[in-house]
Amino acid sequence: MKFDIVTIFPRTIEAGLAEGVVARARERGLIDVAVHDLREFTADRHRSVDDVPYGGGPGMVMKPEPLVRAVERIRQARGAPRVMLVTSPQGRAFTQAEAVRLSGMAHVAILCGRYEGMDERVLSLVDAEEVSIGDYVLSGGELAALVIVDAVSRLIPGVVGDEQSVEEDSFSRGLLDYPHYTRPAEFGGLRVPDVLLSGHHAEVRRWRRKAALARTLDRRPELLDAAVLDEEDRALLDELRRERSGRT
Ligand code: JD8
């Protein structure tokens, strides 16, 4: 899969791709990420990428010309991306479902915003979709682009060593993850739950499923509406709801 990222901070993007699962996928040729410095597509002596907003007001706006030229270069040199994304607080939510959709695309480009955002015309001119990684304010789109590349890359076969762990990732299953423990069996006065030391695989599975449901009920109850729950899950959830409502 090919990714192209356009940014005024190419070193931020390269730093974010330099280690871990994504770095290894890149080395192994499973993903091809090209990072483009927006300033290389400027035409003036000062390499300006921003200008004052029409209508006045605070801050600066990203000029359209360098962004459109960068996209034209990507299309010539790397082929036309199937999806063009602009990271923006105004975008629709980037979710695991969106990551799955993008992982089926051969080529995705991401334009990173800065300042107050981009001249609105860029979006229609390059046929871009605006996406947001969450309801908090970032200083620019670079970290959002890294989040998207990370989430999408892990879904490409071979990128994560253990395919089973990708399938079991909490948002793939629709529930939060269960608690994890490793040795020693007692640490800081806290013991690992006995069932995990018991070797009873069916009991372990049931305990983990219940713990995942309990956490989801406590912290993200809205996830339960969309989660795929079997008969046993519903029984465990009823048990938990009864426990929490004060009886037993
Ligand atoms: C792109 C500029 C900063 C936005 C003034 C501070 C995504 N989930 C997300 N939160 N924030 C962003 C994001 C923020 C950005 C840009 C993405 C470009 N800023 C600006 C307008 C108001 N600030 C994001 N994805």
Side-chain angles (χ1 to χ4, degrees):
M1 178 168 181
K2 279 195 284 191
F3 295 94
D4 283 83
I5 304 177
V6 178
T7 173
I8 62 167
F9 294 127
R11 287 176 301 176
T12 299
I13 299 293
E14 289 294 354
L17 300 173
E19 294 177 297
V21 162
V22 172
R24 256 175 291 130
R26 227 178 154 189
E27 286 161 13
R28 290 157 60 210
L30 293 171
I31 59 171
D32 166 5
V33 189
V35 184
H36 308 274
D37 183 349
L38 186 62
R39 289 196 197 278
E40 293 184 359
F41 302 94
T42 55
D44 65 312
R45 210 163 57 81
H46 295 103
R47 311 225 291 169
S48 316
V49 294
D50 62 331
D51 203 344
V52 295
Y54 272 123
M60 299 292 274
V61 175
M62 294 182 87
K63 292 162 60 64
E65 301 93 328
L67 288 161
V68 170
R69 289 188 59 197
V71 170
E72 284 167 354
R73 170 74 64 80
I74 290 168
R75 287 180 179 145
Q76 283 165 16
R78 306 253 304 158
R82 293 293 309 280
V83 179
M84 190 74 61
L85 300 178
V86 169
T87 52
S88 153
Q90 277 67 55
R92 65 183 153 68
F94 177 75
T95 59
Q96 187 66 22
E98 179 71 2
V100 169
R101 177 180 81 97
L102 295 176
S103 71
M105 307 285 177
H107 189 182
V108 173
I110 310 175
L111 310 182
C112 301
R114 277 274 154 180
Y115 314 106
E116 297 304 309
M118 296 175 189
D119 184 297
E120 190 70 18
R121 294 168 292 186
V122 172
L123 296 160
S124 55
L125 288 170
V126 307
D127 195 20
E129 308 172 26
E130 280 181 285
V131 291
S132 165
I133 62 160
D135 295 340
Y136 34 78
V137 183
L138 300 173
S139 307
E142 282 74 14
L143 292 172
L146 287 169
V147 164
I148 293 166
V149 170
D150 189 286
V152 172
S153 296
R154 344 180 3 92
L155 297 171
I156 297 169
V159 167
V160 175
D162 186 353
E163 296 288 314
Q164 201 191 335
S165 76
V166 174
E167 272 169 46
E168 287 176 4
D169 274 343
S170 64
F171 283 106
S172 302
R173 298 178 320 163
L175 295 179
L176 301 184
D177 206 355
Y178 53 78
H180 299 271
Y181 297 91
T182 186
R183 290 176 288 188
E186 186 178 332
F187 183 74
L190 299 176
R191 278 200 58 77
V192 172
D194 280 329
V195 60
L196 300 180
L197 310 179
S198 70
H200 293 120
H201 300 301
E203 284 297 302
V204 168
R205 214 173 308 114
R206 191 180 140 83
W207 181 89
R208 285 180 169 164
R209 195 69 184 164
K210 188 173 179 183
L213 287 162
R215 278 185 162 180
T216 309
L217 185 60
D218 280 344
R219 302 176 189 179
R220 299 290 306 279
E222 79 282 5
L223 294 180
L224 292 170
D225 301 335
V228 185
L229 304 179
D230 62 18
E231 199 85 336
E232 188 193 11
D233 293 331
R234 296 188 179 285
L236 288 168
L237 201 52
D238 280 346
E239 218 177 287
L240 285 163
R241 287 187 169 125
R242 278 196 303 275
E243 285 169 18
R244 263 136 242 247
S245 67
R247 320 187 303 115
T248 325

